[in-house]
Amino acid sequence: MKNRDIFVGGKWQQGRGQQMQSRFPGDNHVVATLNSASLEDVEDAVIAAEKAWRDPKWRHMSSHQRAAILLKVSTLIDEQREELVRLQTLDNGKPWAEARGLVMSAAATARYFAAVCEVSGGELPPRRQPDIMTLSTYQPLGVIAAITPWNSPIASDMQKIAPAIAAGNAVILKPAEATPLVSLKLAELFEQAGLPAGLLSVLPGKGSIIGDALVRHPLVRKISFTGGTNTGRQLAHIAADKLIGTSLELGGKSPTIVLDDADLDLAAHGVCYGIFSSMGQACIAGSRLFVARSVYQAFIEKLTKLTQGLIIGDPRQERVHIGPLISSAHRDSVIAYVSQAIAEGGKIRVGGKVPTDPALQSGHYFEPTIIEGLTNQAHVCQEEIFGPVLVVIPFDDETSLIHDANDSIYGLAAGIWTQDYTRAFKLADTLDVGTVWINTYKVFSISTPFGGFKDSGLGREKGLESLKAYMQQKSIFLALNPQPNRWCE
Ligand code: ADP
């Protein structure tokens, strides 16, 4: 809508930066053209945020009242669910049913942090001296920079905004270039819910300019980032110079493991969903599949059949499984990975091409692809493709399996399929990853911490403790029986 391109300090306005477009990846039509934020807009948003979080009306607002705002946001999300789903799907081409799941999870996240906000408090450490009591209290950090990617914007945005606001901070959200719409809509809902002006600003714009200026601003006191590992590392350097904290949710190359005693039907469905939902554009996509050699043939046949049955099409249609990739440039990079896999000796079991259906030619579609015949050393096993490409590798014994599963710079997640939970637990224990799913995959819970080992990230989101990640501790010493201190006499 006109002059609603950015949201700064409680005001809707036209950004003073470059023009940018949101295009529907399903047919490339322009959904919205907006003027992105400029460096001056960043400055205005930070100054407004600093003023807003220090305002005594906000600082002394009871946690009950802050929780009420988050609860109201969750109700508004539920009421406007289909509109949010529409915006999310238009922005990034995610199939409707998946986008709906994300919108529902955003509402649940707001509710969860409302509840956490109500019950969270400080501590009373044990007394070391009879007349001195100490209180350990938690205070907000101040202005938080939240930077999110294009693959699941509404969920990523809320995972940062809700705990940061519950903790009493102000947030400046920089959504990805391709997906500004749902983030702007979220700002509208926070405004309607009564969040005081300045506590949330949304600045669509280029990461290397607007995102960079935001995180470097001296008043920004934490960077909460979800995106690529290279960008995350750059932000960590900036944070190190400023001596501020980061929360980094980065890339992945997650192994899924099918043991010889697995329920193969269950596993085939789970593996198929784990890699091909969201067209593989998920940091947790199960993109490396290790299958026990004794069940390899039986399993790959089941998986191939399921993959061939996936419906590719317009993501706005309810029954579609596979929508478009985010952009033609991104599809080109997926195609290049598939070509490289073939050059390294990989055999395409299924997919590997742009679909020929004439109805799909204006979008950035790519067939779900399974590649065999490679080892874990292949480029496609070591690098994150962020597309619908699965590499399958047979294994003979658990020692080599564990070695290969852990032989990655990433450590985000893993899946294990077996009917023996003792075996599953022992294996889960040895995997260098932040999340292990056993006989399921890609399920989330806002009450369970999420984050990566190794190059997959730093810090955890979700869970009770994540509120404290947006706070700093202050210790207060109270003399119960004040006596003159005779030292200077
Ligand atoms: P992806 O590969 O998922 O696009 P990126 O790391 O490039 O991952 O982008 C994730 C988010 O980080 C986006 O909002 C993007 O605009 C932002 N971003 C990219 N580069 C920078 C940077 N140098 N400084 C701050 N933010 C950035």
Side-chain angles (χ1 to χ4, degrees):
M1 275 169 33
K2 209 165 180 301
N3 297 339
R4 288 176 75 85
D5 302 349
I6 64 175
F7 184 57
V8 179
K11 292 197 198 83
W12 291 97
Q13 54 199 54
Q14 200 176 46
R16 285 171 280 180
Q18 292 171 341
Q19 209 174 62
M20 57 191 266
Q21 290 177 329
S22 161
R23 286 172 179 268
F24 174 51
D27 60 14
N28 214 23
H29 82 264
V30 176
V31 181
T33 300
L34 41 91
N35 276 7
S36 66
S38 68
L39 296 178
E40 295 85 346
D41 294 324
V42 173
E43 182 66 21
D44 289 354
V46 175
I47 296 300
E50 177 71 9
K51 194 163 159 241
W53 84 269
R54 286 190 183 280
D55 186 331
K57 279 212 277 308
W58 175 245
R59 289 208 70 175
H60 302 144
M61 186 184 278
S62 71
S63 51
H64 180 66
Q65 285 170 293
R66 277 209 301 274
I69 292 172
L70 286 169
L71 276 180
K72 177 79 182 151
V73 169
S74 78
T75 305
L76 290 169
I77 292 175
D78 286 338
E79 285 169 8
Q80 299 187 41
R81 183 187 300 160
E82 293 304 293
E83 172 61 0
L84 286 156
V85 172
R86 192 181 74 83
L87 289 173
Q88 166 94 81
T89 294
L90 285 175
D91 250 358
N92 76 356
K94 201 180 269 285
W96 201 262
E98 284 188 58
R100 184 182 292 123
L102 288 181
V103 171
M104 289 164 73
S105 93
T109 299
R111 270 194 299 277
Y112 178 80
F113 282 105
V116 176
C117 178
E118 291 260 27
V119 298
S120 179
E123 287 125 35
L124 199 62
R127 268 187 233 170
R128 304 287 293 181
Q129 295 157 53
D131 292 343
I132 305 283
M133 184 166 87
T134 57
L135 311 174
S136 174
T137 64
Y138 290 84
Q139 299 202 332
L141 293 164
V143 182
I144 310 293
I147 300 187
T148 50
W150 47 260
N151 59 329
S152 302
I154 188 160
S156 321
D157 291 356
M158 192 56 98
Q159 265 162 46
K160 299 177 188 321
I161 300 171
I165 290 293
N169 300 281
V171 182
I172 299 175
L173 172 66
K174 210 297 288 166
E177 290 84 331
T179 53
L181 301 183
V182 89
S183 305
L184 289 166
K185 180 73 188 171
L186 260 189
E188 198 181 296
L189 302 187
F190 272 94
E191 190 187 20
Q192 273 177 37
L195 185 73
L199 290 167
L200 176 63
S201 289
V202 179
L203 301 179
K206 230 174 142 37
S208 56
I209 300 171
I210 299 307
D212 182 74
L214 179 61
V215 296
R216 286 182 195 277
H217 198 291
L219 290 175
V220 166
R221 303 312 300 159
K222 175 166 177 143
I223 303 170
S224 183
F225 171 80
T226 301
T229 293
N230 289 339
T231 314
R233 190 170 274 118
Q234 279 179 42
L235 298 185
H237 279 284
I238 294 168
D241 275 345
K242 292 175 65 180
L243 293 179
I244 61 171
T246 53
S247 158
L248 304 172
E249 298 291 349
L250 309 177
K253 193 74 202 176
S254 300
T256 335
I257 297 163
V258 178
L259 295 178
D260 52 8
D261 65 347
D263 176 327
L264 297 188
D265 279 325
L266 196 75
H269 279 89
V271 168
C272 191
Y273 172 71
I275 176 65
F276 297 129
S277 55
S278 296
M279 293 70 73
Q281 299 175 132
C283 52
I284 45 166
S287 51
R288 291 185 295 150
L289 173 63
F290 296 94
V291 183
R293 200 178 293 278
S294 59
V295 295
Y296 187 90
Q297 276 316 323
F299 184 75
I300 195 83
E301 274 161 29
K302 283 181 194 293
L303 183 62
T304 302
K305 201 157 165 243
L306 287 179
T307 306
Q308 284 167 334
L310 295 175
I311 300 168
I312 308 179
D314 188 321
R316 292 169 296 184
Q317 289 164 9
E318 284 274 358
R319 287 195 58 244
V320 160
H321 300 105
I322 305 287
L325 300 184
I326 186 74
S327 65
S328 79
H330 184 53
R331 181 175 64 177
D332 287 347
S333 86
V334 173
I335 293 171
Y337 270 118
V338 173
S339 305
Q340 189 177 27
I342 295 169
E344 288 184 42
K347 303 270 177 296
I348 305 290
R349 171 92 190 193
V350 55
K353 302 184 304 296
V354 170
T356 50
D357 181 348
L360 302 180
Q361 296 314 301
S362 50
H364 319 302
Y365 294 88
F366 193 73
E367 291 176 349
T369 300
I370 300 178
I371 303 176
E372 296 178 284
L374 293 170
T375 69
N376 190 55
Q377 293 311 310
H379 280 91
V380 282
C381 289
Q382 292 294 323
E383 291 171 29
E384 186 178 39
I385 300 175
F386 222 67
V389 180
L390 175 69
V391 184
V392 197
I393 303 172
F395 70 87
D396 293 301
D397 59 82
E398 282 194 25
T399 310
S400 66
L401 164 70
I402 292 164
H403 174 272
D404 280 358
N406 281 337
D407 183 16
S408 169
I409 57 167
Y410 296 111
L412 194 57
I416 300 171
W417 298 88
T418 172
Q419 300 193 54
D420 180 342
Y421 273 84
T422 310
R423 218 173 151 197
F425 181 79
K426 284 186 183 156
L427 196 50
D429 211 32
T430 59
L431 296 174
D432 299 334
V433 298
T435 295
V436 181
W437 286 290
I438 297 170
N439 290 332
T440 183
Y441 200 85
K442 214 176 167 185
V443 286
F444 285 117
S445 147
I446 186 62
S447 58
T448 308
F450 176 78
F453 283 23
K454 302 193 276 187
D455 282 11
S456 289
L458 195 61
R460 296 289 176 267
E461 288 195 315
K462 307 183 178 180
L464 282 179
E465 288 307 308
S466 61
L467 186 80
K468 301 254 163 78
Y470 288 94
M471 304 184 101
Q472 51 195 334
Q473 251 173 318
K474 178 179 281 183
S475 302
I476 299 176
F477 286 72
L478 258 165
L480 299 178
N481 184 18
Q483 302 278 334
N485 185 321
R486 303 279 176 208
W487 176 79
C488 48
E489 282 179 0

